[in-house]
Amino acid sequence: MGEIYLEDWGPGWTSLTLTATFGIVLIWQARSLYKAQKALRTRILVTGSRGKSGTVRLLHVLFLANKIPTYSKITGTTAVELFPDGTEKPTVRRGAAGIPEMKSSLMRSRKLGAQVGVFESMAISPKLIDLVDRIIRPQIGIIPTIRLDHT
C-alpha cells in the first residue's frame, strides 16, 4: 500500500466545495422563485404572435383602475416594466434577451408588493413557451393572435 499525501486531496475538496456551493445557489434561486410565484395572487401569461404588448398594457391599466397593485413585464425589442404605481421603466439588457429576464421580473414583482402579475412571453417555439410557463406558473393564459408570420 502506498502512502497518503494530503496535498493530493486539494483538487477533490475544491471540486466538492464548488459543486456544493452551486447546489446551494440553485436551491436558493428555486426557493426565491417559488416565493415570488406565491406572492402574486394572480399570474397572467400573454403569448401568441401579435398583440401581446397591447394586451399586457390593457390588463395592467384595468387592474390599476380597480386599485389592484399590478406589475407587468413587456418583452421584445422595446421591453419595459410597468409598476404598481403606474410608472414604467425601460428594461436595460446586457446582451440578448432571454428566459432569465422572466425570472428576475417575477422576483421584482414580489419586491414591489404586487398582487397581480401580467407577463408577456417573447417565446415563439412551444418548448420555450413551456419553459416560460414553468417559470411564471400562470393561472390565466391569453393568446391574442396566432399567425405564422413570425416564424
Side-chain angles (χ1 to χ4, degrees):
M1 227 193 231
E3 299 210 15
I4 297 174
Y5 297 100
L6 290 179
E7 59 269 9
D8 292 340
W9 291 17
W13 281 110
T14 302
S15 296
L16 179 62
T17 303
L18 291 174
T19 302
T21 303
F22 183 66
I24 290 168
V25 168
L26 287 178
I27 291 168
W28 177 78
Q29 283 183 339
R31 186 170 179 255
S32 297
L33 189 61
Y34 177 78
K35 282 182 170 182
Q37 289 169 344
K38 295 303 170 193
L40 289 173
R41 182 179 68 190
T42 305
R43 295 175 305 279
I44 301 170
L45 184 64
V46 181
T47 189
S49 60
R50 296 261 187 231
K52 297 182 296 289
S53 299
T55 302
V56 169
R57 285 185 180 279
L58 183 65
L59 290 170
H60 186 82
V61 170
L62 177 75
F63 286 116
L64 287 184
N66 285 287
K67 311 259 189 276
I68 300 170
T70 304
Y71 171 89
S72 299
K73 176 68 174 117
I74 295 175
T75 58
T77 53
T78 55
V80 297
E81 295 175 87
L82 307 174
F83 298 113
D85 64 1
T87 62
E88 68 178 65
K89 177 181 153 192
T91 299
V92 178
R93 291 182 172 148
R94 290 166 187 84
I99 301 299
E101 193 174 295
M102 297 303 283
K103 288 181 182 179
S104 59
S105 296
L106 184 63
M107 290 195 219
R108 200 164 15 266
S109 71
R110 179 176 179 242
K111 288 179 185 175
L112 293 169
Q115 292 179 11
V116 174
V118 184
F119 301 91
E120 175 186 349
S121 174
M122 65 186 154
I124 295 173
S125 73
K127 286 185 180 182
L128 288 177
I129 292 171
D130 183 54
L131 182 58
V132 171
D133 186 69
R134 284 187 280 150
I135 291 169
I136 302 297
R137 297 273 185 217
Q139 293 104 333
I140 301 169
I142 298 174
I143 306 171
T145 307
I146 299 176
R147 292 179 55 184
L148 297 179
D149 60 345
H150 271 334
T151 56

